[in-house]
PDB file of all heavy atoms in Angstrom:
ATOM      1  N   ASP A   1       7.928 -14.122  -3.017  1.00 91.00           N
ATOM      2  CA  ASP A   1       9.307 -14.096  -3.447  1.00 91.00           C
ATOM      3  C   ASP A   1       9.621 -12.973  -4.419  1.00 91.00           C
ATOM      4  O   ASP A   1      10.723 -12.868  -4.965  1.00 91.00           O
ATOM      5  CB  ASP A   1       9.633 -15.449  -4.117  1.00 91.00           C
ATOM      6  CG  ASP A   1       9.683 -16.587  -3.138  1.00 91.00           C
ATOM      7  OD1 ASP A   1       9.999 -16.328  -1.954  1.00 91.00           O
ATOM      8  OD2 ASP A   1       9.300 -17.708  -3.530  1.00 91.00           O
ATOM      9  N   SER A   2       8.679 -12.029  -4.571  1.00 93.00           N
ATOM     10  CA  SER A   2       8.889 -10.871  -5.450  1.00 93.00           C
ATOM     11  C   SER A   2       9.604  -9.764  -4.639  1.00 93.00           C
ATOM     12  O   SER A   2       9.823  -9.901  -3.488  1.00 93.00           O
ATOM     13  CB  SER A   2       7.583 -10.369  -6.002  1.00 93.00           C
ATOM     14  OG  SER A   2       6.852  -9.727  -4.999  1.00 93.00           O
ATOM     15  N   SER A   3       9.948  -8.705  -5.334  1.00 92.00           N
ATOM     16  CA  SER A   3      10.581  -7.564  -4.669  1.00 92.00           C
ATOM     17  C   SER A   3       9.531  -6.686  -3.882  1.00 92.00           C
ATOM     18  O   SER A   3       9.920  -5.745  -3.207  1.00 92.00           O
ATOM     19  CB  SER A   3      11.278  -6.647  -5.692  1.00 92.00           C
ATOM     20  OG  SER A   3      10.357  -6.176  -6.619  1.00 92.00           O
ATOM     21  N   LEU A   4       8.293  -7.014  -3.975  1.00 94.00           N
ATOM     22  CA  LEU A   4       7.221  -6.294  -3.326  1.00 94.00           C
ATOM     23  C   LEU A   4       7.104  -6.734  -1.835  1.00 94.00           C
ATOM     24  O   LEU A   4       6.889  -7.863  -1.549  1.00 94.00           O
ATOM     25  CB  LEU A   4       5.914  -6.551  -4.053  1.00 94.00           C
ATOM     26  CG  LEU A   4       4.805  -5.566  -3.966  1.00 94.00           C
ATOM     27  CD1 LEU A   4       5.247  -4.173  -4.408  1.00 94.00           C
ATOM     28  CD2 LEU A   4       3.611  -6.032  -4.765  1.00 94.00           C
ATOM     29  N   PRO A   5       7.298  -5.760  -0.886  1.00 95.00           N
ATOM     30  CA  PRO A   5       7.169  -6.128   0.539  1.00 95.00           C
ATOM     31  C   PRO A   5       5.709  -6.484   0.902  1.00 95.00           C
ATOM     32  O   PRO A   5       4.792  -5.669   0.645  1.00 95.00           O
ATOM     33  CB  PRO A   5       7.594  -4.890   1.277  1.00 95.00           C
ATOM     34  CG  PRO A   5       8.098  -3.919   0.252  1.00 95.00           C
ATOM     35  CD  PRO A   5       7.639  -4.392  -1.061  1.00 95.00           C
ATOM     36  N   ILE A   6       5.485  -7.645   1.451  1.00 95.00           N
ATOM     37  CA  ILE A   6       4.180  -8.109   1.850  1.00 95.00           C
ATOM     38  C   ILE A   6       4.126  -8.113   3.367  1.00 95.00           C
ATOM     39  O   ILE A   6       4.999  -8.672   4.076  1.00 95.00           O
ATOM     40  CB  ILE A   6       3.910  -9.551   1.347  1.00 95.00           C
ATOM     41  CG1 ILE A   6       4.211  -9.697  -0.139  1.00 95.00           C
ATOM     42  CG2 ILE A   6       2.462  -9.977   1.665  1.00 95.00           C
ATOM     43  CD1 ILE A   6       3.339  -8.953  -1.038  1.00 95.00           C
ATOM     44  N   ASN A   7       3.098  -7.500   3.951  1.00 95.00           N
ATOM     45  CA  ASN A   7       2.890  -7.481   5.376  1.00 95.00           C
ATOM     46  C   ASN A   7       2.490  -8.878   5.891  1.00 95.00           C
ATOM     47  O   ASN A   7       2.065  -9.700   5.119  1.00 95.00           O
ATOM     48  CB  ASN A   7       1.828  -6.465   5.795  1.00 95.00           C
ATOM     49  CG  ASN A   7       2.271  -5.046   5.461  1.00 95.00           C
ATOM     50  OD1 ASN A   7       3.443  -4.679   5.554  1.00 95.00           O
ATOM     51  ND2 ASN A   7       1.329  -4.228   5.005  1.00 95.00           N
ATOM     52  N   ALA A   8       2.628  -9.100   7.172  1.00 93.00           N
ATOM     53  CA  ALA A   8       2.285 -10.420   7.745  1.00 93.00           C
ATOM     54  C   ALA A   8       0.828 -10.817   7.474  1.00 93.00           C
ATOM     55  O   ALA A   8       0.532 -12.011   7.375  1.00 93.00           O
ATOM     56  CB  ALA A   8       2.554 -10.410   9.267  1.00 93.00           C
ATOM     57  N   ASP A   9      -0.038  -9.837   7.403  1.00 92.00           N
ATOM     58  CA  ASP A   9      -1.470 -10.153   7.145  1.00 92.00           C
ATOM     59  C   ASP A   9      -1.778 -10.274   5.654  1.00 92.00           C
ATOM     60  O   ASP A   9      -2.946 -10.437   5.258  1.00 92.00           O
ATOM     61  CB  ASP A   9      -2.389  -9.125   7.798  1.00 92.00           C
ATOM     62  CG  ASP A   9      -2.232  -7.700   7.199  1.00 92.00           C
ATOM     63  OD1 ASP A   9      -1.348  -7.516   6.303  1.00 92.00           O
ATOM     64  OD2 ASP A   9      -2.986  -6.790   7.617  1.00 92.00           O
ATOM     65  N   GLY A  10      -0.751 -10.195   4.764  1.00 94.00           N
ATOM     66  CA  GLY A  10      -0.971 -10.357   3.355  1.00 94.00           C
ATOM     67  C   GLY A  10      -1.216  -9.073   2.604  1.00 94.00           C
ATOM     68  O   GLY A  10      -1.347  -9.074   1.386  1.00 94.00           O
ATOM     69  N   THR A  11      -1.274  -7.952   3.329  1.00 95.00           N
ATOM     70  CA  THR A  11      -1.541  -6.682   2.681  1.00 95.00           C
ATOM     71  C   THR A  11      -0.225  -6.022   2.183  1.00 95.00           C
ATOM     72  O   THR A  11       0.863  -6.494   2.562  1.00 95.00           O
ATOM     73  CB  THR A  11      -2.240  -5.653   3.644  1.00 95.00           C
ATOM     74  OG1 THR A  11      -1.433  -5.424   4.753  1.00 95.00           O
ATOM     75  CG2 THR A  11      -3.610  -6.253   4.061  1.00 95.00           C
ATOM     76  N   ILE A  12      -0.389  -5.020   1.392  1.00 96.00           N
ATOM     77  CA  ILE A  12       0.792  -4.346   0.787  1.00 96.00           C
ATOM     78  C   ILE A  12       0.624  -2.836   1.118  1.00 96.00           C
ATOM     79  O   ILE A  12      -0.424  -2.234   0.831  1.00 96.00           O
ATOM     80  CB  ILE A  12       0.897  -4.559  -0.703  1.00 96.00           C
ATOM     81  CG1 ILE A  12       1.007  -6.031  -1.022  1.00 96.00           C
ATOM     82  CG2 ILE A  12       2.052  -3.759  -1.321  1.00 96.00           C
ATOM     83  CD1 ILE A  12       0.844  -6.448  -2.474  1.00 96.00           C
ATOM     84  N   ASP A  13       1.669  -2.227   1.691  1.00 97.00           N
ATOM     85  CA  ASP A  13       1.635  -0.808   2.030  1.00 97.00           C
ATOM     86  C   ASP A  13       1.658   0.036   0.747  1.00 97.00           C
ATOM     87  O   ASP A  13       2.356  -0.284  -0.216  1.00 97.00           O
ATOM     88  CB  ASP A  13       2.825  -0.412   2.887  1.00 97.00           C
ATOM     89  CG  ASP A  13       2.721  -0.978   4.306  1.00 97.00           C
ATOM     90  OD1 ASP A  13       1.633  -1.409   4.710  1.00 97.00           O
ATOM     91  OD2 ASP A  13       3.759  -0.984   4.980  1.00 97.00           O
ATOM     92  N   THR A  14       0.895   1.134   0.806  1.00 95.00           N
ATOM     93  CA  THR A  14       0.912   2.105  -0.327  1.00 95.00           C
ATOM     94  C   THR A  14       1.057   3.512   0.218  1.00 95.00           C
ATOM     95  O   THR A  14       0.927   3.740   1.404  1.00 95.00           O
ATOM     96  CB  THR A  14      -0.421   2.056  -1.145  1.00 95.00           C
ATOM     97  OG1 THR A  14      -1.451   2.714  -0.396  1.00 95.00           O
ATOM     98  CG2 THR A  14      -0.834   0.658  -1.455  1.00 95.00           C
ATOM     99  N   ASP A  15       1.350   4.407  -0.721  1.00 95.00           N
ATOM    100  CA  ASP A  15       1.374   5.853  -0.341  1.00 95.00           C
ATOM    101  C   ASP A  15      -0.027   6.421  -0.671  1.00 95.00           C
ATOM    102  O   ASP A  15      -0.981   5.735  -0.980  1.00 95.00           O
ATOM    103  CB  ASP A  15       2.470   6.562  -1.099  1.00 95.00           C
ATOM    104  CG  ASP A  15       2.342   6.581  -2.580  1.00 95.00           C
ATOM    105  OD1 ASP A  15       1.249   6.236  -3.126  1.00 95.00           O
ATOM    106  OD2 ASP A  15       3.321   6.991  -3.262  1.00 95.00           O
ATOM    107  N   MET A  16      -0.110   7.740  -0.641  1.00 93.00           N
ATOM    108  CA  MET A  16      -1.409   8.434  -0.862  1.00 93.00           C
ATOM    109  C   MET A  16      -1.917   8.287  -2.308  1.00 93.00           C
ATOM    110  O   MET A  16      -3.032   8.585  -2.590  1.00 93.00           O
ATOM    111  CB  MET A  16      -1.247   9.925  -0.568  1.00 93.00           C
ATOM    112  CG  MET A  16      -1.023  10.256   0.888  1.00 93.00           C
ATOM    113  SD  MET A  16      -2.494   9.874   1.898  1.00 93.00           S
ATOM    114  CE  MET A  16      -3.582  11.181   1.385  1.00 93.00           C
ATOM    115  N   ASN A  17      -1.028   7.791  -3.180  1.00 95.00           N
ATOM    116  CA  ASN A  17      -1.398   7.599  -4.565  1.00 95.00           C
ATOM    117  C   ASN A  17      -1.615   6.159  -4.926  1.00 95.00           C
ATOM    118  O   ASN A  17      -1.832   5.803  -6.106  1.00 95.00           O
ATOM    119  CB  ASN A  17      -0.335   8.194  -5.501  1.00 95.00           C
ATOM    120  CG  ASN A  17      -0.073   9.652  -5.165  1.00 95.00           C
ATOM    121  OD1 ASN A  17       0.967   9.970  -4.582  1.00 95.00           O
ATOM    122  ND2 ASN A  17      -0.997  10.545  -5.504  1.00 95.00           N
ATOM    123  N   LEU A  18      -1.536   5.253  -3.931  1.00 95.00           N
ATOM    124  CA  LEU A  18      -1.671   3.807  -4.053  1.00 95.00           C
ATOM    125  C   LEU A  18      -0.438   3.174  -4.713  1.00 95.00           C
ATOM    126  O   LEU A  18      -0.505   1.990  -5.122  1.00 95.00           O
ATOM    127  CB  LEU A  18      -2.952   3.413  -4.779  1.00 95.00           C
ATOM    128  CG  LEU A  18      -4.213   3.686  -3.970  1.00 95.00           C
ATOM    129  CD1 LEU A  18      -5.445   3.453  -4.822  1.00 95.00           C
ATOM    130  CD2 LEU A  18      -4.258   2.786  -2.727  1.00 95.00           C
ATOM    131  N   MET A  19       0.701   3.895  -4.759  1.00 95.00           N
ATOM    132  CA  MET A  19       1.921   3.259  -5.233  1.00 95.00           C
ATOM    133  C   MET A  19       2.574   2.535  -4.099  1.00 95.00           C
ATOM    134  O   MET A  19       2.621   3.030  -2.935  1.00 95.00           O
ATOM    135  CB  MET A  19       2.896   4.346  -5.820  1.00 95.00           C
ATOM    136  CG  MET A  19       4.066   3.622  -6.485  1.00 95.00           C
ATOM    137  SD  MET A  19       5.166   4.550  -7.564  1.00 95.00           S
ATOM    138  CE  MET A  19       4.991   6.242  -7.076  1.00 95.00           C
ATOM    139  N   THR A  20       3.137   1.403  -4.384  1.00 95.00           N
ATOM    140  CA  THR A  20       3.799   0.561  -3.393  1.00 95.00           C
ATOM    141  C   THR A  20       5.248   1.072  -3.226  1.00 95.00           C
ATOM    142  O   THR A  20       5.661   1.985  -3.953  1.00 95.00           O
ATOM    143  CB  THR A  20       3.866  -0.903  -3.868  1.00 95.00           C
ATOM    144  OG1 THR A  20       4.728  -0.972  -5.011  1.00 95.00           O
ATOM    145  CG2 THR A  20       2.471  -1.461  -4.192  1.00 95.00           C
ATOM    146  N   PRO A  21       6.033   0.499  -2.270  1.00 95.00           N
ATOM    147  CA  PRO A  21       7.414   0.915  -2.175  1.00 95.00           C
ATOM    148  C   PRO A  21       8.240   0.611  -3.432  1.00 95.00           C
ATOM    149  O   PRO A  21       9.335   1.174  -3.587  1.00 95.00           O
ATOM    150  CB  PRO A  21       7.941   0.094  -0.963  1.00 95.00           C
ATOM    151  CG  PRO A  21       6.706  -0.173  -0.160  1.00 95.00           C
ATOM    152  CD  PRO A  21       5.599  -0.330  -1.154  1.00 95.00           C
ATOM    153  N   VAL A  22       7.706  -0.234  -4.312  1.00 95.00           N
ATOM    154  CA  VAL A  22       8.390  -0.532  -5.601  1.00 95.00           C
ATOM    155  C   VAL A  22       7.819   0.507  -6.605  1.00 95.00           C
ATOM    156  O   VAL A  22       6.631   0.471  -6.862  1.00 95.00           O
ATOM    157  CB  VAL A  22       8.151  -1.975  -6.077  1.00 95.00           C
ATOM    158  CG1 VAL A  22       8.795  -2.164  -7.404  1.00 95.00           C
ATOM    159  CG2 VAL A  22       8.647  -2.959  -5.017  1.00 95.00           C
ATOM    160  N   PRO A  23       8.654   1.360  -7.132  1.00 93.00           N
ATOM    161  CA  PRO A  23       8.154   2.431  -8.080  1.00 93.00           C
ATOM    162  C   PRO A  23       7.329   1.843  -9.208  1.00 93.00           C
ATOM    163  O   PRO A  23       7.652   0.790  -9.776  1.00 93.00           O
ATOM    164  CB  PRO A  23       9.452   3.070  -8.578  1.00 93.00           C
ATOM    165  CG  PRO A  23      10.485   2.773  -7.528  1.00 93.00           C
ATOM    166  CD  PRO A  23      10.090   1.459  -6.937  1.00 93.00           C
ATOM    167  N   ASN A  24       6.248   2.563  -9.548  1.00 92.00           N
ATOM    168  CA  ASN A  24       5.352   2.232 -10.632  1.00 92.00           C
ATOM    169  C   ASN A  24       4.569   0.967 -10.434  1.00 92.00           C
ATOM    170  O   ASN A  24       3.967   0.460 -11.424  1.00 92.00           O
ATOM    171  CB  ASN A  24       6.117   2.221 -11.970  1.00 92.00           C
ATOM    172  CG  ASN A  24       6.686   3.592 -12.301  1.00 92.00           C
ATOM    173  OD1 ASN A  24       6.061   4.629 -12.084  1.00 92.00           O
ATOM    174  ND2 ASN A  24       7.946   3.604 -12.724  1.00 92.00           N
ATOM    175  N   ILE A  25       4.494   0.422  -9.267  1.00 94.00           N
ATOM    176  CA  ILE A  25       3.639  -0.693  -8.924  1.00 94.00           C
ATOM    177  C   ILE A  25       2.554  -0.177  -7.979  1.00 94.00           C
ATOM    178  O   ILE A  25       2.848   0.348  -6.890  1.00 94.00           O
ATOM    179  CB  ILE A  25       4.384  -1.886  -8.276  1.00 94.00           C
ATOM    180  CG1 ILE A  25       5.536  -2.348  -9.161  1.00 94.00           C
ATOM    181  CG2 ILE A  25       3.441  -2.993  -7.889  1.00 94.00           C
ATOM    182  CD1 ILE A  25       5.108  -3.017 -10.414  1.00 94.00           C
ATOM    183  N   TYR A  26       1.314  -0.292  -8.406  1.00 95.00           N
ATOM    184  CA  TYR A  26       0.177   0.200  -7.673  1.00 95.00           C
ATOM    185  C   TYR A  26      -0.721  -0.959  -7.192  1.00 95.00           C
ATOM    186  O   TYR A  26      -0.825  -1.983  -7.897  1.00 95.00           O
ATOM    187  CB  TYR A  26      -0.697   1.169  -8.512  1.00 95.00           C
ATOM    188  CG  TYR A  26       0.028   2.375  -8.911  1.00 95.00           C
ATOM    189  CD1 TYR A  26       0.926   2.377  -9.990  1.00 95.00           C
ATOM    190  CD2 TYR A  26      -0.169   3.593  -8.239  1.00 95.00           C
ATOM    191  CE1 TYR A  26       1.576   3.554 -10.354  1.00 95.00           C
ATOM    192  CE2 TYR A  26       0.487   4.745  -8.609  1.00 95.00           C
ATOM    193  CZ  TYR A  26       1.351   4.709  -9.668  1.00 95.00           C
ATOM    194  OH  TYR A  26       1.994   5.873 -10.025  1.00 95.00           O
ATOM    195  N   VAL A  27      -1.310  -0.836  -6.039  1.00 94.00           N
ATOM    196  CA  VAL A  27      -2.261  -1.836  -5.553  1.00 94.00           C
ATOM    197  C   VAL A  27      -3.472  -1.095  -4.965  1.00 94.00           C
ATOM    198  O   VAL A  27      -3.391   0.060  -4.543  1.00 94.00           O
ATOM    199  CB  VAL A  27      -1.703  -2.808  -4.522  1.00 94.00           C
ATOM    200  CG1 VAL A  27      -0.500  -3.615  -5.081  1.00 94.00           C
ATOM    201  CG2 VAL A  27      -1.261  -2.108  -3.257  1.00 94.00           C
ATOM    202  N   GLY A  28      -4.540  -1.794  -4.937  1.00 93.00           N
ATOM    203  CA  GLY A  28      -5.797  -1.254  -4.329  1.00 93.00           C
ATOM    204  C   GLY A  28      -6.679  -2.360  -3.890  1.00 93.00           C
ATOM    205  O   GLY A  28      -6.421  -3.563  -4.086  1.00 93.00           O
ATOM    206  N   GLY A  29      -7.764  -1.988  -3.260  1.00 90.00           N
ATOM    207  CA  GLY A  29      -8.804  -2.910  -2.818  1.00 90.00           C
ATOM    208  C   GLY A  29      -8.385  -3.707  -1.579  1.00 90.00           C
ATOM    209  O   GLY A  29      -7.688  -3.191  -0.723  1.00 90.00           O
ATOM    210  N   ASP A  30      -8.744  -4.964  -1.553  1.00 90.00           N
ATOM    211  CA  ASP A  30      -8.597  -5.798  -0.353  1.00 90.00           C
ATOM    212  C   ASP A  30      -7.134  -6.058   0.028  1.00 90.00           C
ATOM    213  O   ASP A  30      -6.863  -6.399   1.167  1.00 90.00           O
ATOM    214  CB  ASP A  30      -9.307  -7.136  -0.551  1.00 90.00           C
ATOM    215  CG  ASP A  30     -10.800  -6.979  -0.690  1.00 90.00           C
ATOM    216  OD1 ASP A  30     -11.295  -5.891  -0.351  1.00 90.00           O
ATOM    217  OD2 ASP A  30     -11.452  -7.919  -1.115  1.00 90.00           O
ATOM    218  N   ILE A  31      -6.198  -5.844  -0.876  1.00 93.00           N
ATOM    219  CA  ILE A  31      -4.786  -6.082  -0.513  1.00 93.00           C
ATOM    220  C   ILE A  31      -4.051  -4.806  -0.107  1.00 93.00           C
ATOM    221  O   ILE A  31      -2.929  -4.863   0.390  1.00 93.00           O
ATOM    222  CB  ILE A  31      -4.003  -6.819  -1.642  1.00 93.00           C
ATOM    223  CG1 ILE A  31      -3.863  -5.934  -2.865  1.00 93.00           C
ATOM    224  CG2 ILE A  31      -4.623  -8.118  -1.968  1.00 93.00           C
ATOM    225  CD1 ILE A  31      -2.892  -6.476  -3.919  1.00 93.00           C
ATOM    226  N   ALA A  32      -4.673  -3.666  -0.320  1.00 93.00           N
ATOM    227  CA  ALA A  32      -4.044  -2.384  -0.039  1.00 93.00           C
ATOM    228  C   ALA A  32      -4.076  -1.982   1.435  1.00 93.00           C
ATOM    229  O   ALA A  32      -5.146  -1.959   2.033  1.00 93.00           O
ATOM    230  CB  ALA A  32      -4.635  -1.260  -0.916  1.00 93.00           C
ATOM    231  N   ASN A  33      -2.957  -1.684   1.988  1.00 93.00           N
ATOM    232  CA  ASN A  33      -2.836  -1.099   3.302  1.00 93.00           C
ATOM    233  C   ASN A  33      -2.508   0.345   3.074  1.00 93.00           C
ATOM    234  O   ASN A  33      -1.347   0.720   2.995  1.00 93.00           O
ATOM    235  CB  ASN A  33      -1.733  -1.775   4.166  1.00 93.00           C
ATOM    236  CG  ASN A  33      -1.787  -1.372   5.612  1.00 93.00           C
ATOM    237  OD1 ASN A  33      -2.847  -1.143   6.192  1.00 93.00           O
ATOM    238  ND2 ASN A  33      -0.604  -1.264   6.179  1.00 93.00           N
ATOM    239  N   ALA A  34      -3.570   1.152   2.843  1.00 93.00           N
ATOM    240  CA  ALA A  34      -3.411   2.488   2.320  1.00 93.00           C
ATOM    241  C   ALA A  34      -3.804   3.556   3.343  1.00 93.00           C
ATOM    242  O   ALA A  34      -4.595   3.309   4.278  1.00 93.00           O
ATOM    243  CB  ALA A  34      -4.313   2.594   1.088  1.00 93.00           C
ATOM    244  N   PRO A  35      -3.259   4.777   3.165  1.00 90.00           N
ATOM    245  CA  PRO A  35      -3.659   5.882   4.031  1.00 90.00           C
ATOM    246  C   PRO A  35      -5.199   6.116   3.978  1.00 90.00           C
ATOM    247  O   PRO A  35      -5.781   6.021   2.897  1.00 90.00           O
ATOM    248  CB  PRO A  35      -2.902   7.089   3.462  1.00 90.00           C
ATOM    249  CG  PRO A  35      -1.737   6.496   2.712  1.00 90.00           C
ATOM    250  CD  PRO A  35      -2.286   5.185   2.180  1.00 90.00           C
ATOM    251  N   LEU A  36      -5.758   6.398   5.087  1.00 85.00           N
ATOM    252  CA  LEU A  36      -7.190   6.602   5.197  1.00 85.00           C
ATOM    253  C   LEU A  36      -7.481   7.966   5.812  1.00 85.00           C
ATOM    254  O   LEU A  36      -7.130   8.248   6.949  1.00 85.00           O
ATOM    255  CB  LEU A  36      -7.781   5.493   6.120  1.00 85.00           C
ATOM    256  CG  LEU A  36      -9.244   5.297   6.176  1.00 85.00           C
ATOM    257  CD1 LEU A  36      -9.841   4.994   4.836  1.00 85.00           C
ATOM    258  CD2 LEU A  36      -9.605   4.178   7.159  1.00 85.00           C
ATOM    259  N   LEU A  37      -8.089   8.806   4.963  1.00 79.00           N
ATOM    260  CA  LEU A  37      -8.344  10.186   5.381  1.00 79.00           C
ATOM    261  C   LEU A  37      -9.042  10.271   6.720  1.00 79.00           C
ATOM    262  O   LEU A  37      -8.707  11.041   7.602  1.00 79.00           O
ATOM    263  CB  LEU A  37      -9.154  10.876   4.296  1.00 79.00           C
ATOM    264  CG  LEU A  37      -9.618  12.310   4.621  1.00 79.00           C
ATOM    265  CD1 LEU A  37      -8.403  13.242   4.683  1.00 79.00           C
ATOM    266  CD2 LEU A  37     -10.607  12.811   3.593  1.00 79.00           C
ATOM    267  N   SER A  38     -10.049   9.466   6.897  1.00 75.00           N
ATOM    268  CA  SER A  38     -10.856   9.522   8.146  1.00 75.00           C
ATOM    269  C   SER A  38     -10.099   8.883   9.320  1.00 75.00           C
ATOM    270  O   SER A  38     -10.677   8.836  10.413  1.00 75.00           O
ATOM    271  CB  SER A  38     -12.208   8.805   7.937  1.00 75.00           C
ATOM    272  OG  SER A  38     -12.005   7.445   7.573  1.00 75.00           O
ATOM    273  N   ASN A  39      -8.922   8.409   9.121  1.00 76.00           N
ATOM    274  CA  ASN A  39      -8.099   7.854  10.200  1.00 76.00           C
ATOM    275  C   ASN A  39      -6.758   8.590  10.287  1.00 76.00           C
ATOM    276  O   ASN A  39      -5.742   7.982  10.459  1.00 76.00           O
ATOM    277  CB  ASN A  39      -7.944   6.362   9.933  1.00 76.00           C
ATOM    278  CG  ASN A  39      -7.538   5.573  11.151  1.00 76.00           C
ATOM    279  OD1 ASN A  39      -7.844   5.963  12.258  1.00 76.00           O
ATOM    280  ND2 ASN A  39      -6.823   4.471  10.928  1.00 76.00           N
ATOM    281  N   ASP A  40      -6.836   9.927  10.101  1.00 76.00           N
ATOM    282  CA  ASP A  40      -5.629  10.769  10.136  1.00 76.00           C
ATOM    283  C   ASP A  40      -4.551  10.316   9.157  1.00 76.00           C
ATOM    284  O   ASP A  40      -3.351  10.424   9.436  1.00 76.00           O
ATOM    285  CB  ASP A  40      -5.055  10.843  11.569  1.00 76.00           C
ATOM    286  CG  ASP A  40      -5.976  11.594  12.513  1.00 76.00           C
ATOM    287  OD1 ASP A  40      -6.718  12.477  12.063  1.00 76.00           O
ATOM    288  OD2 ASP A  40      -6.003  11.198  13.692  1.00 76.00           O
ATOM    289  N   ASN A  41      -4.987   9.767   8.022  1.00 80.00           N
ATOM    290  CA  ASN A  41      -4.085   9.270   6.957  1.00 80.00           C
ATOM    291  C   ASN A  41      -3.145   8.148   7.470  1.00 80.00           C
ATOM    292  O   ASN A  41      -2.125   7.919   6.830  1.00 80.00           O
ATOM    293  CB  ASN A  41      -3.318  10.396   6.285  1.00 80.00           C
ATOM    294  CG  ASN A  41      -4.183  11.187   5.354  1.00 80.00           C
ATOM    295  OD1 ASN A  41      -5.059  10.652   4.728  1.00 80.00           O
ATOM    296  ND2 ASN A  41      -3.914  12.508   5.273  1.00 80.00           N
ATOM    297  N   GLN A  42      -3.491   7.527   8.576  1.00 83.00           N
ATOM    298  CA  GLN A  42      -2.780   6.345   8.977  1.00 83.00           C
ATOM    299  C   GLN A  42      -3.161   5.185   8.032  1.00 83.00           C
ATOM    300  O   GLN A  42      -4.292   5.134   7.592  1.00 83.00           O
ATOM    301  CB  GLN A  42      -3.123   5.974  10.402  1.00 83.00           C
ATOM    302  CG  GLN A  42      -2.733   7.013  11.415  1.00 83.00           C
ATOM    303  CD  GLN A  42      -1.240   7.260  11.433  1.00 83.00           C
ATOM    304  OE1 GLN A  42      -0.456   6.349  11.561  1.00 83.00           O
ATOM    305  NE2 GLN A  42      -0.842   8.527  11.355  1.00 83.00           N
TER     306      GLN A  42
END
């Protein structure tokens, strides 16, 4: 119910700096759906 968009699998999208779509909110680890260098930054 927060302003943070949650994916159907429970993960949260981030940018290359691990910031979420909500400014100044960062996530990492098991909940981060983050760009992966070895996967063409997908």
Side-chain angles (χ1 to χ4, degrees):
D1 292 328
S2 73
S3 60
L4 204 56
I6 310 294
N7 296 323
D9 64 356
T11 61
I12 300 169
D13 290 344
T14 76
D15 64 11
M16 292 293 288
N17 305 105
L18 290 171
M19 187 166 25
T20 68
V22 178
N24 298 316
I25 302 292
Y26 295 81
V27 299
D30 296 344
I31 67 170
N33 189 36
L36 191 60
L37 176 67
S38 60
N39 199 27
D40 294 328
N41 285 326
Q42 298 298 310

